[in-house]
Amino acid sequence: MCTAATYKTQDFYFGRTLDYEFSYGDEITVTPRNYPFHFRHMGEVTSHYAIIGMAHVAGDYPLYYDAVNEKGLAMAGLNFVGNAVYQEVEEDRENIAQFEFIPWILSKCASVKETRKALNKMNLVGTPFSEQLPSAQLHWIIADENEAITVECMKDGMHIYDNPVGVLTNNPPFEQQTFQLNNYVGLSPKQPENRFSDKLNFNAYSRGMGALGLPGDLSSASRFAKVAFTKMNSFSGTSEKESVSQFFHILGSVDQQRGCCEVADGKFEITLYTSCCNTNKGIYYYTTYENHQISAVDMFGENLNERELIKYPLIKGEQIYWQN
């Protein structure tokens, strides 16, 4: 279970939580412009846009969970179990395996507008990375500073939705998620007005009652509504530190704490990491479950004309600043 969101101040920010019961061994991974991508059905691409994001690197291949390229296009894949159905390989289409989807789009597209054109030619197939790593059932949010879309490949084909909310979680499908926001149309960050009856006097006994009814559980639909409300009503300064801090607060509204979501006997889903990428500057910020201090990697601080992946292990131990 995961949550992704966008946020705009002076710059554009994109990030996600990754909620699961264990980690595959994730690293901040920079793919430079000349790293050779070997696509299963489309051959080798040796020159492309540079990419930074969170990935599990298997056999020197970056299996990205979320990433942004040097042009500011961002993308994340989130679990869509039970609904994701991939297409069959077709000779006259650009056949891209599910695990290659993020590299394929971010290596060649500079905007959502270009992505839409690429998707019209593309066939998203279920070719697995390996026997040990079968195709994950996912759907995706793709965004730049101007717009966002959601891509879902289902039994009846590929669906591409405008995503004006700039949020994605998991099931149900995206159209149902956005429709359910109608249930919360009366919520407000302001104190509520008495519309119950002009014959009765009510006392607003607490602050925040304008948002009474906003869900707080950990289900996908509830997290979608919670982050959508939080993001849409969020306010911060435009500086980098203020914007980044606010973004982590937005996604912090749906953090999963160990013990609250039991997936097996004694196993709990937690927020393994939270990311926030300044897509304009190529800076990837993150926190982990054990480390609330924000860490960062600057893509443009690297030599982006190299051929080898650049990897940074996550800082996981809690960092505490002692004042005495």
Side-chain angles (χ1 to χ4, degrees), residues 100-119:
E100 302 169 330
F101 191 25
I102 291 179
W104 178 254
I105 293 297
L106 296 188
S107 66
K108 62 184 294 185
C109 298
S111 65
V112 172
K113 184 177 180 180
E114 290 185 12
T115 300
R116 291 180 189 271
K117 294 179 181 178
L119 292 173

Side-chain angles (χ1 to χ4, degrees), residues 245-261:
S245 175
Q246 187 71 353
F247 190 92
F248 278 100
H249 282 298
I250 291 169
L251 285 184
S253 67
V254 291
D255 266 352
Q256 295 209 34
Q257 298 79 28
R258 183 177 284 115
C260 295
C261 181

Side-chain angles (χ1 to χ4, degrees), residues 2 18 22 37 58 72 78 87 97 109 128 132 239 282 297 303-304 321:
C2 309
L18 192 144
F22 65 87
F37 274 118
L78 286 75
Q87 299 159 301
C109 298
Q132 294 75 29
S239 72
V297 176
N303 181 354
L304 296 182
Y321 179 78

